[in-house]
Amino acid sequence: MNGHIYGYIRVSTVDQNEDRQVVVLKEKQVPEQNIYMDKQSGKDFNRPQYKKLVKKLKPGDLLYILSIDRLGRNYEEIQNQWRILTKELGVDICVIDMPLLDTRNGKDLMGTFIADLVLQILSFVAQSERENIRRRQAQGIAAAKARGVRFGRPPRPLPENYDNVYQRWKLGEITGAEAARECGMPLPTFRYRAKTYEKTRF
C-alpha cells in the first residue's frame, strides 16, 4: 500500500467509551497520530475531527472504522460520505466488524456491487436503530409523565412569608401584584405557584 493508514472513532458522550475502538485500531497498526475521534451524536457529519480527517485523506490512503454506525447513523448521509471518500477522494475504507465492507477487496464489478449492497443494508439498519431509540425514549417519557413524574429542574422553594401573603391575597386584602412583590417573584409565577399551593395545602 502506498498511502497512509488512518482510523476514525465516534462515541456518544453519554453512554459509550472509546477504549475498544482504540485497541482495535492499534491492532490494525494505525499510528496514534492518525486516529481521529469525535465525542458526539452520529445524526450528521458536522463533527470537527471528522472534518479534519477528510481534509487529510489523499488518494491511496486507507481508513479503518470499527463498525458502520461509528461512521454515522443517518442512512442517506452515510452513503453520501462513503461515495465522497471512495469515489471523489480515492480512499479505501475497511469496516473492521464487517469484512465485506473492505474496498481493497473485490475491485471488480461484482465486488463493488456486493459492498454497495451491504452498505445500503447496514446504513439502513443503523438509521432504523436510531429512530427506534428515539421512539422508545419518547414513549418512556410519555409513560413517566402519565405516572406523574416531573422533568426539568425542581421549582424553587416558596419564601417563608408565602402562606401569610397567600392568605391575605385570597381574602382580597392585597392585589396579586402586591402579593408577588412581597414574595419576590413575578406576578405570573405567583399565580402559577398559588394554583399548585392550593392543591397541596389539604
Side-chain angles (χ1 to χ4, degrees):
M1 196 186 96
N2 298 323
H4 296 91
I5 303 176
Y6 292 89
Y8 178 69
I9 294 172
R10 184 188 65 77
V11 292
S12 164
T13 56
V14 178
D15 59 3
Q16 291 179 332
N17 185 287
E18 71 271 16
D19 291 350
R20 177 171 175 252
Q21 295 181 68
V22 171
V23 168
V24 173
L25 290 180
K26 287 186 176 179
E27 288 175 352
K28 295 294 183 180
Q29 309 300 313
V30 180
E32 190 170 347
Q33 69 271 18
N34 286 357
I35 296 176
Y36 291 75
M37 179 174 65
D38 283 305
K39 289 193 172 187
Q40 65 184 84
S41 166
K43 65 181 180 178
D44 57 42
F45 284 85
N46 188 25
R47 308 177 215 141
Q49 292 302 308
Y50 180 79
K51 288 180 176 179
K52 284 185 181 179
L53 169 63
V54 172
K55 288 180 180 178
K56 270 278 200 183
L57 294 170
K58 298 289 187 296
D61 288 344
L62 171 62
L63 172 63
Y64 280 108
I65 55 174
L66 178 59
S67 56
I68 197 67
D69 63 344
R70 297 306 88 205
L71 185 61
R73 289 186 177 274
N74 182 293
Y75 176 59
E76 291 184 2
E77 289 202 26
I78 290 174
Q79 293 192 77
N80 184 49
Q81 288 299 314
W82 188 277
R83 179 186 58 77
I84 291 171
L85 294 171
T86 60
K87 302 293 193 292
E88 296 183 13
L89 297 180
V91 174
D92 275 314
I93 304 177
C94 175
V95 180
I96 298 167
D97 278 358
M98 181 57 62
L100 284 173
L101 286 178
D102 185 342
T103 59
R104 295 171 299 177
N105 302 328
K107 294 285 188 179
D108 59 4
L109 184 61
M110 180 58 71
T112 301
F113 171 75
I114 292 174
D116 287 347
L117 183 61
V118 172
L119 173 65
Q120 288 189 44
I121 293 171
L122 291 180
S123 55
F124 173 77
V125 169
Q127 180 170 328
S128 296
E129 180 187 0
R130 178 168 167 261
E131 291 175 354
N132 286 335
I133 290 172
R134 291 175 61 185
R135 185 160 46 248
R136 286 194 296 269
Q137 287 174 337
Q139 291 170 346
I141 291 171
K145 286 182 176 178
R147 294 195 306 269
V149 176
R150 297 186 64 179
F151 294 87
R153 290 182 300 177
R156 293 177 61 183
L158 293 170
E160 292 182 3
N161 66 337
Y162 189 84
D163 183 71
N164 176 266
V165 174
Y166 172 83
Q167 296 295 343
R168 289 161 54 214
W169 171 69
K170 286 291 285 185
L171 293 172
E173 295 177 2
I174 56 175
T175 66
E178 291 170 331
R181 187 163 52 250
E182 287 190 34
C183 291
M185 59 180 62
L187 179 57
T189 302
F190 175 81
R191 287 176 174 164
Y192 172 77
R193 299 299 293 271
K195 288 181 182 178
T196 56
Y197 185 71
E198 180 72 30
K199 295 176 183 177
T200 58
R201 287 179 65 232
F202 302 103

